[in-house]
Amino acid sequence: MNSRATTGPGLGRRRFRLHPAQAVAAGFAVTVLLGAGLLSLPIAKVGPGGASFAEAIFTATSAVCVTGLTVVDTATFWTPFGQVVILLLIQIGGFGVMTFASVIGLAVVRRLSLRSRVTAASEVRSVGLEDVKGLVLGVVTISLIVEGVVAVLLSLRFLFGYGEPVGQAIWLGVFHSVSSFNNAGFALFSDNLMGYAVDPFICLPIAAAVILGGLGFPVIVQLRKHLRSPLLWSMNTRIVLAGTVTLLVAGTVYITAVEWSNPATLGPMDWPAKILAGFFQSVQTRTAGFNSVDIGAMDSASLLGMDVLMFIGGGPAGTAGGIKITTFAVLYFILVAEVRGDGVVNVFGKRLSRAVHRQAISVVLMAVFVVVVSTAILMVLTDLTLDVLLFETISAFGTVGLSTGITADLPPAGQVILILLMFIGRLGPITFASALALREHPVAYELPKERPIIG
């Protein structure tokens, strides 16, 4: 008898099992549908009747994929019940659906099956099955600690700085803390955070949570263990930290300089407020999506620079989106090695695996393809300009959530494009492609080599 046979009368049939990448994609899809169902209930929407399916599915996708793009005003359209549903979807999406399921499994049976470890490992990008349990528990612990600290800081500020009632201050603190650490960008104010653009006690805790969430859980876990021992940091940790600092500084300088005299954004502020707002907006382009200035009023040059930052994104295996800092860094080091004529690519004293070269190139090419095709379709569907459509497309794909204000005005087909972009962007192009493949096809032979002319 075939040992792999069987559920049912037919012996010899293989049991149907999802590939780990397929399981991750299916988990996110099911969570989105469940969230959309809850948001469609009349109790979730202010006023008579429930939200339309289009409104519910877009909001649920944006929350689970921790993006922040919206077609309705989160502050006024949804009831407290609807806002709680959005908060839970953000938290589950930030943890990762399979990571969240693993946590439930650990809480109930206090162990993970091999299948659960393999699936969770594919989602959190673990390097080995033996460390999955520790990494999963680390994800939960770190998330709750950071969210708790930031929630307390924000709640106190809303309470004593703005005179909010105690309950409302706590709710605002908790919601924006979870939304920021998970890089979601949902806010409970109709103008997002524009009303707090010059308040460092609101902007800086949110920015700190966004940065920490964008580092990626493997980096945070390693820093927690070896913060004072940089020699023990992995190549991944070093690349993410160096890239994060570089992009944050470059983004702050660029956005602040371009918008310095813009009367609709930074122009009316004094110079400390301009630097704060420029820094805050640079942080948000790392896939968070909050805005303290009017994105639609920003200079086209600023939008282009933010396109680049959103496309790169944050660290892998965290709450950030984009192609990831590590992917961009690998391409940079490959370029440097080619310019120098080096036979291998060395990064921080280590040789880079050639398999990583192919993965990085594949991710970038697939990402560019998805963004270009989606932007072209939106240009056909609307009369909007290239700069705002490209910004919207990259924001959705990078799970950023920043918008020039056109999301709700897009036709239904355009909003479907954004839903697909958010889903693909959260899973990652390679994971999404793997989820669509029914099986792997190993090749038992190699073809002869030949080199085309390059350049």
Side-chain angles (χ1 to χ4, degrees):
M1 180 184 295
N2 190 335
S3 61
R4 290 178 296 182
T6 134
T7 61
L11 298 181
R13 292 188 306 177
R14 292 185 179 181
R15 185 174 306 187
F16 176 75
R17 290 183 183 275
L18 290 175
H19 184 280
Q22 292 174 319
V24 172
F28 271 89
V30 170
T31 305
V32 167
L33 291 175
L34 291 175
L38 291 173
L39 291 175
S40 297
L41 298 175
I43 192 177
K45 175 183 173 294
V46 174
S52 68
F53 179 75
E55 293 165 339
I57 194 70
F58 192 99
T59 303
T61 303
S62 185
V64 173
C65 296
V66 291
T67 304
L69 288 176
T70 58
V71 291
V72 295
D73 183 1
T74 306
T76 59
F77 186 86
W78 303 108
T79 63
F81 174 83
Q83 293 171 357
V84 169
V85 170
I86 292 172
L87 185 68
L88 292 176
L89 293 176
I90 291 172
Q91 188 69 83
I92 293 173
F95 279 156
V97 173
M98 292 304 144
T99 304
F100 181 77
S102 298
V103 172
I104 300 300
L106 285 171
V108 175
V109 299
R110 301 191 180 279
R111 63 186 295 271
L112 284 177
S113 66
L114 177 61
R115 188 71 184 175
S116 297
R117 282 188 289 160
V118 171
T119 305
S122 71
E123 186 173 57
V124 298
R125 306 294 195 272
S126 176
V127 296
L129 295 183
E130 67 280 353
D131 62 349
V132 170
K133 180 178 178 180
L135 186 54
V136 166
L137 293 177
V139 166
V140 177
T141 302
I142 291 168
S143 297
L144 295 180
I145 290 175
V146 174
E147 290 170 359
V149 171
V150 174
V152 169
L153 295 176
L154 293 178
S155 298
L156 292 175
R157 182 58 177 168
F158 284 123
L159 178 63
F160 296 109
Y162 297 93
E164 296 285 355
V166 175
Q168 179 68 2
I170 293 175
W171 171 236
L172 291 173
V174 169
F175 188 96
H176 292 94
S177 171
V178 173
S179 184
S180 58
F181 180 71
N182 290 287
N183 281 211
F186 280 88
L188 294 181
F189 305 102
S190 296
D191 61 354
N192 206 275
L193 295 179
M194 291 175 58
Y196 305 95
V198 299
D199 188 346
F201 298 102
I202 295 292
C203 292
L204 293 182
I206 288 178
V210 169
I211 293 171
L212 288 174
L215 291 178
F217 292 115
V219 172
I220 299 176
V221 169
Q222 188 167 71
L223 289 178
R224 187 179 64 171
K225 293 180 180 179
H226 306 296
L227 180 61
R228 298 183 180 181
S229 304
L231 294 178
L232 299 178
W233 294 353
S234 66
M235 180 190 293
N236 180 76
T237 296
R238 297 182 183 190
I239 289 176
V240 170
L241 291 178
T244 296
V245 172
T246 300
L247 293 176
L248 284 177
V249 172
T252 300
V253 172
Y254 182 84
I255 293 172
T256 305
V258 174
E259 297 295 323
W260 188 270
S261 301
N262 187 340
T265 55
L266 305 187
M269 303 177 184
D270 57 24
W271 71 265
K274 290 181 180 181
I275 294 175
L276 173 64
F279 169 73
F280 185 80
Q281 217 52 66
S282 175
V283 171
Q284 304 314 310
T285 58
R286 310 305 311 293
T287 84
F290 291 107
N291 63 283
S292 61
V293 297
D294 184 359
I295 302 298
M298 296 183 78
D299 191 277
S300 294
S302 296
L303 297 183
L304 181 60
M306 292 165 71
D307 285 340
V308 175
L309 294 173
M310 292 190 299
F311 188 76
I312 295 173
T319 59
I323 63 171
K324 306 297 187 295
I325 291 174
T326 45
T327 304
F328 179 77
V330 165
L331 293 184
Y332 169 76
F333 288 119
I334 291 175
L335 176 63
V336 170
E338 287 296 322
V339 170
R340 291 178 176 176
D342 297 335
V344 296
V345 180
N346 297 317
V347 181
F348 296 123
K350 300 285 184 66
R351 181 169 59 86
L352 196 65
S353 168
R354 291 191 179 276
V356 177
H357 301 193
R358 298 193 300 270
Q359 292 171 358
I361 293 171
S362 299
V363 167
V364 172
L365 289 179
M366 291 185 69
V368 169
F369 173 80
V370 169
V371 168
V372 170
V373 170
S374 300
T375 304
I377 294 174
L378 289 178
M379 292 181 70
V380 172
L381 294 175
T382 71
D383 296 326
L384 298 171
T385 58
L386 173 61
D387 56 346
V388 297
L389 289 177
L390 181 62
F391 188 89
E392 194 84 5
T393 301
I394 295 179
S395 179
F397 174 77
T399 68
V400 182
L402 291 173
S403 176
T404 56
I406 67 172
T407 311
D409 297 327
L410 292 175
Q415 293 177 2
V416 170
I417 294 294
L418 295 186
I419 289 174
L420 294 175
L421 282 171
M422 290 187 287
F423 195 78
I424 295 172
R426 182 67 180 99
L427 294 176
I430 292 297
T431 303
F432 186 77
S434 299
L436 297 180
L438 295 179
R439 61 178 63 87
E440 296 178 354
H441 299 279
V443 178
Y445 59 89
E446 292 185 359
L447 297 175
K449 292 182 178 179
E450 185 174 351
R451 297 183 62 179
I453 300 174
I454 302 297

